[in-house]
Amino acid sequence: MPPPLDIVKVAIEWPGAFPKLMEIDQKKPLSSIIKEVCDGWSLPNHENYALQHADSSMFYITEKNRNEIKNGAILRLTTSPAQNAQQLHERIQSSSMDSKLEALKDLAKYSCDVTFAQEFINLDGISFLTQMVESGTERYQKLQKIMKPCFGEMLSFTLTAFVELMDHGIVSWDMFSVAFIKKIASYVNKASMGISVLQRSLAILESMVLNSQDLYQKVAQEITIGQLIPHLQGTDQEIQTYTIAVINALFLKAPDDKRQEMASILTQKQLRSIILTHVIRAQRAINNEMAHQLYVLQVLTFNLLEDRMMTKMDPQDQAQRDIIFELRRIAFDVESEPNNIGGNIEKRKSMYTRDYKKLGFINHVNPAMDFTQTPPGMLALDNMLYFAKHHQDAYIRIVLENSSREDKHECPFGRSSIELTKMLCEILKVGELPSETCNDFHPMFFTHDRSFEEFFCICIQLLNKTWKEMRATSEDFNKVMQVVKEQIMRALTTKPSSLDQFKSKLQNLSYTEILKIRQSERMNQEDFQSRPILELKEKIQPEILELIKQQRLNRLVEGTCFRKLNSRRRQDRHNFKNFQRCY
């Protein structure tokens, strides 16, 4: 007979004694169980004891988490969280450096447990740790020179304990002084600081920025991008990860008017190329946390496009209209048009209308109206101008090629560019906050300072190519866009390492290839291999086979007339009648 669900069989350890095998009744108060254990070993004052897991986690058993105890678990009887917190609080104030170091090691270890953390914080433990950090370097200047490794360890365990205690969310980040922030920032800015201290200092700065707008302002004054970049040029991936995390935090919390300024600084400091060289193309695998931070940086960078994406074109703004004139000038070389046209306004308007139609705008008379929808707003026009200026031959070829086709077969460059820009923004989720769990970054976007624009240039050429392959007409516009989106998404899933590799992947994903892939996927859909389908198939298969057999026999009995060509191409009629095949 199985034991009751409320009974858990465990082993309980106590230093210097044989472990006890015990059945714990989960209905009984935890204090009663601890008293029973203490009585078994003749230990007085059971209220000073607690149970904790004997594994590396060493988490205390409480009334809240006791249901997590499994049969066969090994527990340990130990001092209560309150007692332990009190003892450690006293030990870290020891005048003996060795005793202080051991106490800080234990504190760093126990601080992971929320029950202990609450007790230590109740003793004003966090304030004591911050005071140690603020005055530490001055108080132990001599110790640093004489026993530098010891001091580095002490500082490392102090900061580790601080990070673990703060991660429980019990204390607000707003309570910390400028002196503490300056001290932590100084550890990041020092070139000779130890790895563990640097890691924890970066982690603290990131948490400060993310959890307090006030602290963001103070941290931003103490840390510059230039001071962080050297940490990316090292070989320690953990340090690189924490560094990018701080940059992301500063980027995320920066006011809207400061983000573009910060982006310019990142470009000036060549952050992208440094990350590409020392992180993405380093001779080591990228771990999940680094991948997440790179994804966040990618999202935040693309989110800088949101302002243009949500900006409508003002048809009365001459500077914006000049961009459309520039597109026309580059495509048709209108500088060479006869001077005598200038006096004929109607003829000029007619010429403009004709050219705007060739450029593929929806509104041939006033193409500025095409950019009043958001998204993609002015971002689409920016992409078109970039393509026209930086890939001029491809731009002119696409425009002239389509303007020479029949109206229904032309691929409208203007309309296509607008819809494609909107699609790319949806694919890259421009304007959305980064996910806390996603690590889907694309190395190719770190290979160019204008990666989104280059991405567009590749995709607009793909769209034109796919349009021709599909022999599409204007009625097929949405179908073409769906195929193009599928081509882009399939190419992105391969995580190309460069834009050229992305372009190469797209070359192999022609419209014909997409059709083959779709057909193959339909044939191999998991639904056809699901258990209910397989059971139904097995059940009706004999009946189906019998039906097929009867149909074939009936056909043989009925007979069929067909023509046979001999070597002289004479046609003889053969009537196969009354022929039966035994099954």
Side-chain angles (χ1 to χ4, degrees), residues 13 52-60 74-76 106 108-113:
E13 298 177 339
Q52 67 179 181
H53 291 280
D55 59 17
S56 58
S57 71
M58 299 176 63
F59 286 160
Y60 281 100
I74 301 176
L75 307 181
R76 180 185 295 123
D106 290 341
K109 179 173 61 178
Y110 283 109
S111 294
C112 300
D113 184 89

Side-chain angles (χ1 to χ4, degrees), residues 453-464:
E453 290 86 344
E454 289 292 326
F455 185 42
F456 168 84
C457 293
I458 293 171
C459 294
I460 192 65
Q461 294 177 75
L462 167 72
L463 194 156
N464 189 64

Side-chain angles (χ1 to χ4, degrees), residues 419-431:
E419 291 301 318
L420 179 63
T421 300
K422 183 179 179 180
M423 179 200 294
L424 298 184
C425 289
E426 290 172 355
I427 290 173
L428 298 177
K429 300 181 178 176
V430 175

Side-chain angles (χ1 to χ4, degrees), residues 151-383:
F151 174 79
E153 278 190 281
M154 286 178 58
L155 183 56
S156 173
F157 288 122
T158 302
L159 295 178
T160 301
F162 176 84
V163 170
E164 295 292 350
L165 291 168
M166 291 302 298
D167 277 350
H168 296 299
I170 299 170
V171 176
S172 170
W173 282 91
D174 288 310
M175 63 176 286
F176 301 109
S177 65
V178 174
F180 180 72
I181 297 169
K182 286 180 178 291
K183 188 62 68 177
I184 297 297
S186 71
Y187 299 148
V188 172
N189 295 334
K190 281 183 182 177
S192 59
M193 189 54 66
I195 296 294
S196 59
V197 172
L198 182 55
Q199 283 181 354
R200 285 146 184 82
S201 298
L202 288 167
I204 291 169
L205 291 177
E206 180 200 8
S207 294
M208 285 180 172
V209 172
L210 291 177
N211 289 286
S212 170
Q213 190 64 32
D214 184 48
L215 289 184
Y216 156 75
Q217 300 286 352
K218 295 172 182 176
V219 171
Q221 291 172 4
E222 299 296 328
I223 294 289
T224 65
I225 300 300
Q227 291 166 329
L228 291 171
I229 280 179
H231 300 311
L232 292 172
Q233 296 171 317
T235 57
D236 189 294
Q237 190 170 113
E238 291 297 317
I239 294 296
Q240 292 174 324
T241 303
Y242 282 116
T243 302
I244 296 177
V246 173
I247 292 172
N248 287 339
L250 290 169
F251 216 143
L252 188 62
K253 289 296 181 178
D256 292 341
D257 59 329
K258 291 286 185 182
R259 285 183 188 171
Q260 290 290 351
E261 181 183 329
M262 187 174 176
S264 300
I265 294 172
L266 295 180
T267 303
Q268 291 170 12
K269 298 295 182 181
Q270 298 183 324
L271 177 71
R272 178 197 58 75
S273 59
I274 289 171
I275 290 176
L276 182 67
T277 302
H278 296 279
V279 178
I280 296 175
R281 291 182 177 171
Q283 299 300 312
R284 61 176 180 270
I286 292 177
N287 61 37
N288 288 337
E289 183 56 32
M290 173 60 86
H292 172 69
Q293 295 301 336
L294 290 172
Y295 152 78
V296 172
L297 182 59
Q298 173 186 292
V299 171
L300 295 176
T301 302
F302 284 139
N303 279 356
L304 294 171
L305 303 170
E306 183 182 11
D307 183 54
R308 293 294 284 175
M309 181 182 78
M310 300 307 294
T311 299
K312 295 181 180 181
M313 184 172 186
D314 180 1
Q316 306 305 318
D317 189 318
Q318 187 59 42
Q320 294 179 2
R321 292 171 63 86
D322 285 345
I323 299 176
I324 297 177
F325 294 151
E326 181 68 4
L327 289 174
R328 174 176 173 268
R329 183 194 68 77
I330 295 172
F332 304 115
D333 192 22
V334 292
E335 291 176 334
S336 61
E337 64 187 33
N339 292 330
N340 58 4
I341 293 178
N344 191 330
I345 296 176
E346 290 302 319
K347 197 167 185 179
R348 178 179 287 273
K349 282 184 179 180
S350 174
M351 184 178 62
Y352 279 159
T353 301
R354 180 199 66 202
D355 289 348
Y356 290 148
K357 183 176 184 297
K358 289 180 180 179
L359 280 170
F361 290 112
I362 297 173
N363 191 319
H364 306 152
V365 178
N366 186 7
M369 298 303 295
D370 288 12
F371 301 95
T372 55
Q373 179 187 358
T374 59
M378 287 295 292
L379 185 60
L381 189 58
D382 294 342
N383 283 339

Side-chain angles (χ1 to χ4, degrees), residues 517-533:
I517 293 171
R518 287 178 176 179
Q519 179 66 21
S520 176
E521 288 178 348
R522 276 196 294 268
M523 296 296 291
N524 296 297
Q525 279 183 356
E526 290 184 1
D527 287 348
F528 290 105
Q529 301 300 320
S530 63
R531 186 175 176 182
I533 296 294

